[in-house]
Amino acid sequence: METVVNGALAPDGDRVEKRTRRRVGNKSIIQSAIARKERSLRLDDRPKKRPSRAEPAKRPQRSKPALRPVKPEPEDEWSGPEARVAPPLCKCTEDKQLFMENAQGRQFCSAVDGIGDQLFGCCRLVDVTEAPLSRPSVRVPFGVLCGSHRQRLIRHNCCPICGVFCTHGRFAQCAAEHHFHKDCQQEGACPHCADPAPCTDITITMHSPKQPVFLPVQRSQYPSTSEAALISITAPKRGRSPEVPIIPPGQLQPIRDGTTVRLDECNHAGLVAAVEESDAQRAAVILETGNVDLHSRLPECNNGTFLHLAVQKGDLPIVYLLVAYRVDLDALDAEQGSALMLAVTEHRNQIAQYLITAGAQVALKGTDGMTALHAAARTGNLAACQALLRANKGLCDMRDDGGWTPLVWACEHGFTEVARFLLDQGADIHSRDVEQNVALHWAAFKGSAATAELLLNLNSDVNVVNVHGDTPLHMAAREDCYNCVLVLLARRADVSLVNKNSETALDCAPKTGKCFAPLALNAQMHFAISNNPQRHPSLLSNDISNGREQNPIQCVNDVDASPQPNDYTYIAKTCVSSGNVQIDRKVGAMLPCVCTERCTCCSCAQGWYDQGKLSADFNFLDPPLIFECSDLCACNAILCPNRLVQRPLAQRFQLFRTQSKGWGVRALGAIGLGQFVCEYIGEILTDLEAESRTDDSFLFDLDNQESDSFCIDARFYGNFARFINHSCFPNLQPVKVFVEHRDLRFPHIAFFAKRDIAVNEELSFDYGDKFWLVKYKTFTCECRASCCRYSQQSIAATLAKYRIGSAND
Ligand SMILES: C[S@@+](CC[C@H](N)C(=O)[O-])C[C@H]1O[C@@H](n2cnc3c(N)ncnc32)[C@H](O)[C@@H]1O
């Protein structure tokens, strides 16, 4: 031996000589030295980048060594060189791309040299960013080696049983020149290659050009790998910022030292046990053997994989290890649950976050078509919802097999904060499930008053109905959810609404439950209000005519916040605003009567009127023109029965806000069949002028047989009749009436009752096909008459009939 080492090997040029002599080893010293090495690799081994599925594996292929030396079958001849090549047991030549990180980035080489009967740690500093972790076998902990020791490891100079380098002294050598300690040899075969042939004793002499230097400080730093270290699967120096999450080191427990795993534990059952006992180090050792199929299914966790089991145990280090060993992140268990879904459901949020960043599919659908976000919302796991939506915004409104979005699940389980978060992220508050329920139905079903309030504040319709006709109030009442019922009632839920079984919410409430009394009281109040003619809805005006009508016309609105309409000028007599309208008022055309007092026998009395109304045989289907007596007539203006339209309004009317047609007009007193009701007052225009007006909603055609045609537009000037809506079952009939002239182009449009009209009944007339054939594209009829021809449901049939009719014409 040229260089005697009293503590450390000289850094450069050491050379090992071999002599074929039998060695007398000192096993106890070797073992105690290994024990002293106190390696504290922590399983906080953070892969910097998980290989994507498409990429080839970046990790080297693991060899699968036989754990016992392979004994040759009796008939084996061992004659040729091939027969002597047994599967390798050692890992000396494995190029493992695992790296160690520590704070300084440099540390002493982990090698222990056996020199005679003594053991020495190597004094070389190693840049851990350059040196991958290595070891001679799975029995020996990982370490960083200097270049020299790495070379010697590759040349099988390190004993795979005890991990000590065969540096100087007497050792055993197999035919392939692998070194080990004779005393370590257990089965009579080479612990490197399992060659069962008897080994040879050799003497190795170390040569070094330098004098050995013993540094006391070196002892104090020995063992070299005592510092806390992290394993990484890529060299830290090469890394850009890591793509796989950094798990804060404090979150992971250092693994225990000196873990030994029996070879017969390095199998499926051993790994199950290690995971169940949360023994990360044992799991690491077993995984490293490559003996366990990570795709195998475990009855212990519902036929999931080891990943499911580790998630179930909540063991982040083991999850981390399994991911590093490329377990399938998206494998589903027997109930179609992925490990991510399990983590989310069990509120293992660190694990969930780690799995997301490691590449687990967040949009995967499991049981009942639910994603991990559904699971997170259902279990009120706000942090997981945030992490999942950060990963994929598109999850927000994904529906499961029931048509339920994550928002619905959060509402159904009363997780208001989760619901608020999802709504903030743009979740659709109006999304309907397969039974047309919205989130508010589910909040009501659960009885979550806070969630219901949140949804109502964001404009969810309080009276929305599902396919059964149930409103949220029906649901809350049925479940006897008192607080929720109160919130819904306070937000104007309609107690009078009935579902398809003709039940009100009160009918659904258990008679002995808490909700029955408030619902009953509310229903009584509703009944009292809607049946009391004396009630005072919000009165917006006492007289919209501003004194222009004999009876004031009130304007009320108890439906919404619309103010009194004021975008027109109220007039009580038709006006003309252009020179294009020239009414022929020549006296000669008037033919005034000469009756005294009542017109009973003169030509004026054509039998249109009888006792102050249209005569009983009046033809409402094809009304005749009516010519009333005028100021030129000799008859008594008060007594003459041929004067109705020219008299002041006899009835009382009210302008009111309808539910779906804007403003409307109602009669405040009963009106009998045939009675004159009111006139359609507005501006007389030529058709040409009317064409140029943008709003055609208030035009009334005065079509006549003459060449010129005109209309009345009540858009800018008009009386209350401009607010009379259309009905397919109208109570008014427009009739052309002439009073002060006989110019047939300019009749008065007088509305007569075509049937008895009840108190508070809305007035209506038929706007006709011409109106609806244009307007149906914008809106459809809301008259709700059973014979309605222009509603959303009936318009198609009407159009079809119309087209057939036009074709036949
Ligand atoms: C002459 S205005 C009637 C007054 C109108 N409701 C208002 O608020 O000013 C005609 C307009 O009323 C609405 N309307 C009238 N009858 C309707 C009906 N049966 N269904 C739906 N909308 C109707 C339509 O907007 C139509 O263009």
Side-chain angles (χ1 to χ4, degrees):
M1 184 164 78
E2 289 169 6
T3 304
V4 177
V5 185
N6 192 13
L9 293 177
D12 302 309
D14 34 339
R15 176 163 59 85
V16 177
E17 271 188 4
K18 304 165 275 178
R19 298 228 185 99
T20 52
R21 245 199 280 156
R22 292 188 175 270
R23 170 191 178 270
V24 182
N26 189 337
K27 193 176 172 191
S28 62
I29 295 176
I30 294 170
Q31 283 175 337
S32 66
I34 292 171
R36 281 208 314 273
K37 278 186 81 77
E38 290 177 10
R39 293 169 199 272
S40 60
L41 292 180
R42 283 200 275 157
L43 276 180
D44 191 12
D45 42 354
R46 296 174 284 182
K48 293 290 180 277
K49 181 175 188 300
R50 180 174 175 270
S52 81
R53 275 150 207 287
E55 283 174 323
K58 295 236 169 66
R59 289 194 303 116
Q61 286 292 312
R62 284 196 296 275
S63 59
K64 289 210 170 182
L67 291 175
R68 294 171 179 279
V70 177
K71 292 207 172 123
E73 294 296 317
E75 58 270 28
D76 280 353
E77 277 303 303
W78 294 98
S79 49
E82 292 80 12
R84 295 177 64 82
V85 180
L89 295 183
C90 71
K91 294 186 169 285
C92 301
T93 55
E94 251 185 29
D95 176 19
K96 186 158 289 298
Q97 289 299 301
L98 287 174
F99 290 83
M100 181 185 290
E101 290 180 359
N102 70 359
Q104 289 84 37
R106 282 164 73 79
Q107 69 174 59
F108 284 107
C109 169
S110 322
V112 176
D113 285 292
I115 298 176
D117 285 348
Q118 287 186 288
L119 297 170
F120 298 94
C122 176
C123 68
R124 290 192 193 92
L125 280 172
V126 180
D127 182 348
V128 295
T129 64
E130 301 287 351
L133 290 166
S134 52
R135 56 180 175 177
S137 72
V138 296
R139 305 174 64 127
V140 179
F142 279 113
V144 281
L145 296 180
C146 63
S148 165
H149 278 108
R150 197 136 20 104
Q151 286 306 312
R152 286 168 58 190
L153 180 78
I154 292 166
R155 297 202 310 263
H156 301 280
N157 175 245
C158 185
C159 176
I161 310 294
C162 65
V164 172
F165 279 84
C166 304
T167 305
H168 187 94
R170 299 171 71 190
F171 303 99
Q173 175 178 280
C174 74
E177 300 192 343
H178 301 150
H179 301 154
F180 52 95
H181 300 117
K182 181 84 174 162
D183 286 354
C184 290
Q185 190 183 25
Q186 289 162 340
E187 304 272 344
C190 170
H192 288 275
C193 63
D195 181 353
C199 59
T200 322
D201 281 349
I202 59 161
T203 298
I204 299 177
T205 308
M206 190 182 73
H207 298 273
S208 175
K210 295 184 185 167
Q211 285 298 312
V213 183
F214 175 73
L215 302 170
V217 64
Q218 194 181 312
R219 273 274 175 210
S220 71
Q221 289 182 345
Y222 175 82
S224 57
T225 51
S226 63
E227 295 163 54
L230 313 169
I231 295 178
S232 145
I233 61 166
T234 55
K237 212 176 181 179
R238 293 174 214 164
R240 308 105 293 189
S241 57
E243 289 162 29
V244 176
I246 299 295
I247 299 171
Q251 303 287 342
L252 297 173
Q253 298 301 312
I255 59 171
R256 284 177 287 110
D257 297 322
T259 295
T260 52
V261 182
R262 290 205 326 268
L263 292 183
D264 61 0
E265 284 178 358
C266 293
N267 52 23
H268 180 100
L271 186 57
V272 170
V275 177
E276 282 194 326
E277 287 158 29
S278 293
D279 188 337
Q281 185 168 9
R282 246 167 75 213
V285 171
I286 296 170
L287 282 167
E288 185 51 32
T289 65
N291 274 357
V292 182
D293 175 7
L294 290 184
H295 292 100
S296 51
R297 297 299 170 149
L298 315 182
E300 294 84 348
C301 57
N302 207 9
N303 269 351
T305 63
F306 281 101
L307 191 56
H308 287 88
L309 189 60
V311 171
Q312 197 171 291
K313 301 304 289 181
D315 198 310
L316 180 57
I318 294 185
V319 168
Y320 185 81
L321 268 175
L322 290 167
V323 172
Y325 279 89
R326 308 193 71 207
V327 70
D328 181 357
L329 285 172
D330 300 319
L332 301 178
D333 64 15
E335 285 179 4
Q336 304 293 297
S338 68
L340 176 59
M341 292 171 192
L342 184 62
V344 158
T345 310
E346 301 283 319
H347 288 232
R348 311 263 193 229
N349 288 343
Q350 244 195 329
I351 293 180
Q353 177 62 70
Y354 175 68
L355 291 174
I356 292 169
T357 322
Q361 280 192 49
V362 290
L364 206 64
K365 286 195 163 192
T367 183
D368 296 333
M370 289 172 72
T371 64
L373 186 62
H374 285 99
R378 190 186 59 179
T379 52
N381 190 341
L382 179 59
C385 290
Q386 290 164 339
L388 288 161
L389 280 183
R390 264 198 308 274
N392 183 350
K393 267 233 162 231
L395 295 177
C396 199
D397 275 332
M398 268 182 134
R399 291 147 169 275
D400 61 17
D401 294 348
W404 296 314
T405 59
L407 175 65
V408 165
W409 278 108
C411 291
E412 188 195 342
H413 288 84
F415 294 120
T416 310
E417 285 318 305
V418 173
R420 190 190 311 281
F421 168 72
L422 293 170
L423 289 163
D424 280 353
Q425 296 296 304
D428 181 1
I429 200 169
H430 305 297
S431 172
R432 290 183 177 261
D433 63 21
V434 290
E435 292 206 330
Q436 298 290 300
N437 294 297
V438 296
L440 185 59
H441 280 107
W442 288 105
F445 174 73
K446 167 71 184 177
S448 170
T451 314
E453 206 152 19
L454 169 75
L455 295 167
L456 290 165
N457 287 344
L458 292 170
N459 288 335
S460 193
D461 178 4
V462 72
N463 290 319
V464 60
V465 292
N466 64 12
V467 283
H468 307 295
D470 279 340
T471 62
L473 189 63
H474 281 96
M475 285 188 160
R478 196 174 288 126
E479 299 301 314
D480 201 22
C481 301
Y482 182 79
N483 288 337
C484 205
V485 161
L486 289 194
V487 164
L488 293 167
L489 288 175
R491 297 306 191 94
R492 291 177 166 232
D494 189 344
V495 275
S496 67
L497 291 180
V498 290
N499 63 15
K500 285 198 175 158
N501 290 339
S502 305
E503 297 162 320
T504 62
L506 180 62
D507 297 330
C508 297
K511 299 264 177 308
T512 52
K514 297 187 290 281
C515 294
F516 193 81
L519 281 166
L521 178 64
N522 209 278
Q524 278 168 16
M525 284 168 58
H526 181 90
F527 182 78
I529 291 168
S530 55
N531 285 285
N532 180 0
Q534 300 306 315
R535 74 199 171 97
H536 299 290
S538 13
L539 180 65
L540 302 183
S541 167
N542 252 327
D543 182 11
I544 62 165
S545 83
N546 264 330
R548 287 173 183 78
E549 306 287 2
Q550 174 154 302
N551 291 324
I553 299 166
Q554 286 184 332
C555 172
V556 296
N557 181 357
D558 54 355
V559 169
D560 58 28
S562 303
Q564 174 192 349
N566 61 359
D567 56 347
Y568 73 104
T569 303
Y570 196 102
I571 55 174
K573 283 190 170 23
T574 291
C575 66
V576 172
S577 54
S578 91
N580 298 327
V581 177
Q582 299 288 340
I583 304 174
D584 180 1
R585 296 179 188 274
K586 287 199 269 314
V587 175
M590 288 297 289
L591 300 176
C593 77
V594 290
C595 304
T596 50
E597 298 204 341
R598 300 162 192 268
C599 294
T600 47
C601 55
C602 72
S603 58
C604 303
Q606 297 285 329
W608 301 297
Y609 298 147
D610 182 15
Q611 306 201 17
K613 51 185 184 181
L614 293 174
S615 57
D617 58 354
F618 187 80
N619 184 355
F620 281 99
L621 292 177
D622 186 16
L625 302 181
I626 294 180
F627 298 90
E628 291 197 349
C629 288
S630 74
D631 285 351
L632 297 180
C633 292
C635 56
N636 185 306
I638 297 171
L639 298 176
C640 173
N642 193 29
R643 298 172 190 251
L644 289 187
V645 173
Q646 59 193 270
R647 299 225 164 96
L649 290 177
Q651 312 293 338
R652 299 205 51 164
F653 304 100
Q654 191 181 54
L655 181 62
F656 76 106
R657 191 75 184 164
T658 67
Q659 290 289 346
S660 52
K661 298 171 292 192
W663 297 99
V665 179
R666 60 161 75 107
L668 292 185
I671 302 175
L673 165 66
Q675 278 192 313
F676 168 61
V677 178
C678 64
E679 185 182 341
Y680 195 86
I681 300 285
E683 214 183 334
I684 302 182
L685 303 176
T686 63
D687 275 358
L688 210 61
E689 285 167 331
E691 290 298 320
S692 66
R693 298 211 163 172
T694 43
D695 188 352
D696 59 356
S697 313
F698 296 84
L699 291 175
F700 200 111
D701 265 342
L702 299 180
D703 43 10
N704 57 64
Q705 315 306 321
E706 312 291 323
S707 53
D708 310 333
S709 74
F710 299 88
C711 58
I712 297 176
D713 187 9
R715 170 65 190 82
F716 300 107
Y717 300 93
N719 68 344
F720 70 93
R722 73 191 289 279
F723 296 107
I724 298 176
N725 290 312
H726 160 93
S727 170
C728 296
F729 181 59
N731 48 23
L732 298 182
Q733 174 64 50
V735 179
K736 290 179 178 173
V737 178
F738 297 86
V739 179
E740 64 280 51
H741 63 78
R742 296 293 184 256
D743 188 339
L744 296 184
R745 297 170 303 166
F746 303 107
H748 290 270
I749 302 299
F751 290 121
F752 288 86
K754 63 189 295 184
R755 53 187 162 82
D756 286 342
I757 299 174
V759 176
N760 281 326
E761 187 176 328
E762 182 179 356
L763 302 181
S764 58
F765 67 97
D766 186 347
Y767 286 9
D769 282 347
K770 209 169 155 188
F771 178 88
W772 287 108
L773 289 176
V774 175
K775 295 292 183 187
Y776 81 93
K777 293 173 192 150
T778 325
F779 57 90
T780 48
C781 182
E782 293 283 341
C783 76
R784 313 268 163 95
S786 54
C787 59
C788 180
R789 302 183 302 279
Y790 313 110
S791 68
Q792 212 166 8
Q793 294 74 31
S794 57
I795 186 73
T798 305
L799 289 174
K801 267 190 217 153
Y802 182 80
R803 283 187 199 113
I804 293 167
S806 314
N808 291 342
D809 289 348

